Amino acid sequence: GAVVSQHPSRVICKSGTSVKIECRSLDFQATTMFWYRQFPKQSLMLMATSNEGSKATYEQGVEKDKFLINHASLTLSTLTVTSAHPEDSSFYICSAILAGGTWQAFFGQGTRLTVV
Amino acid sequence: AQSVTQLGSHVSVSEGALVLLRCNYSSSVPPYLFWYVQYPNQGLQLLLKYTSAATLVKGINGFEAEFKKSETSFHLTKPSAHMSDAAEYFCAVSDNTGNQFYFGTGTSLTVIP
């Protein structure tokens, strides 16, 4: 099946620094990728929809200046958490849709971000 | 607008017993429904999906789910639990574009030996 690779799997950063998370579709082209955030014991929350070559669409309540999303190619989307704070500590997951109407999203392995 | 409600954040069953994880949805359009499983420190894996075909959907690892429009439900079942089934399970709904997914809060399944 299609594979989505997310890197890094774990990252610890200092408060005030920025962290970039990469999401790659390894064997297919993904015109659309999604970024989710998972809070402990809560639902996966859709943060934004990333379309190749255009600006990301953010869900209500998500700060677009804090969570910068770039989808520069058909196989790569990046999420940059800028000026990270401890409350940004979370599990971030990306997904990509396989074109052709299979209605299946392929998910990355997730990134555990810890801001200290 | 779409949303999903998963009743029971924690479910414990004995090995060999029936697994039943509940999911109710709300959707203003005919929904597409999914169950995903997340093992510790891993990403999500698709268990099964309903996309307007047969209402009883069979997935991997012996799981199945039945779409019941009258009850707006899509409960996940497995006849006999295995220790390896211990994980977090998420129900999700999307519209007919299949592009955006809205997830339930997840149900943590514990299997007791």
Side-chain angles (χ1 to χ4, degrees):
Chain A
V3 176
V4 173
S5 175
Q6 192 171 336
H7 178 80
S9 58
R10 294 175 183 271
V11 59
I12 300 173
C13 71
K14 291 184 178 181
S15 185
T17 63
S18 295
V19 174
K20 179 184 285 188
I21 303 170
E22 293 187 347
C23 180
R24 294 181 184 270
S25 55
L26 297 186
D27 49 2
F28 67 100
Q29 293 183 333
T31 55
T32 304
M33 290 186 177
F34 304 88
W35 287 95
Y36 294 86
R37 180 174 178 177
Q38 184 178 18
F39 293 94
K41 302 191 182 301
Q42 295 188 35
S43 174
L44 279 166
M45 181 188 76
L46 177 65
M47 297 175 67
T49 302
S50 167
N51 293 295
E52 185 267 337
S54 63
K55 291 183 178 180
T57 302
Y58 291 82
E59 295 295 300
Q60 189 173 9
V62 178
E63 298 177 62
K64 61 182 180 181
D65 294 330
K66 181 168 189 62
F67 299 100
L68 300 179
I69 292 173
N70 182 278
H71 195 157
S73 76
L74 289 172
T75 59
L76 173 65
S77 176
T78 61
L79 168 67
T80 301
V81 183
T82 63
S83 187
H85 291 282
E87 56 265 31
D88 298 325
S89 298
S90 191
F91 193 59
Y92 295 85
I93 301 177
C94 72
S95 76
I97 303 298
L98 183 62
T102 62
W103 315 121
Q104 184 172 348
F106 296 91
F107 290 84
Q109 297 301 301
T111 297
R112 170 69 63 191
L113 170 64
T114 303
V115 184
V116 298
Chain B
Q2 292 139 317
S3 66
V4 166
T5 301
Q6 287 183 244
L7 294 176
S9 58
H10 297 277
V11 171
S12 294
V13 299
S14 298
E15 190 174 14
L18 171 71
V19 175
L20 171 61
L21 305 181
R22 299 179 185 275
C23 172
N24 288 89
Y25 70 90
S26 172
S27 178
S28 57
V29 298
Y32 292 90
L33 294 158
F34 307 79
W35 274 100
Y36 285 88
V37 60
Q38 185 178 27
Y39 296 101
N41 299 316
Q42 295 187 29
L44 296 167
Q45 298 177 31
L46 179 67
L47 275 179
L48 49 80
K49 61 185 177 184
Y50 166 77
T51 56
S52 75
T55 56
L56 181 62
V57 181
K58 294 185 183 298
I60 62 172
N61 300 339
F63 284 94
E64 63 180 37
E66 186 172 8
F67 171 68
K68 293 187 176 181
K69 184 178 179 180
S70 61
E71 299 177 7
T72 61
S73 69
F74 191 59
H75 302 331
L76 181 70
T77 61
K78 182 174 180 177
S80 177
H82 192 271
M83 295 300 293
S84 61
D85 295 327
E88 189 86 11
Y89 291 80
F90 290 91
C91 182
V93 63
S94 76
D95 61 18
N96 58 5
T97 68
N99 283 337
Q100 287 186 335
F101 293 78
Y102 296 91
F103 288 84
T105 51
T107 298
S108 178
L109 176 65
T110 300
V111 181
I112 304 167

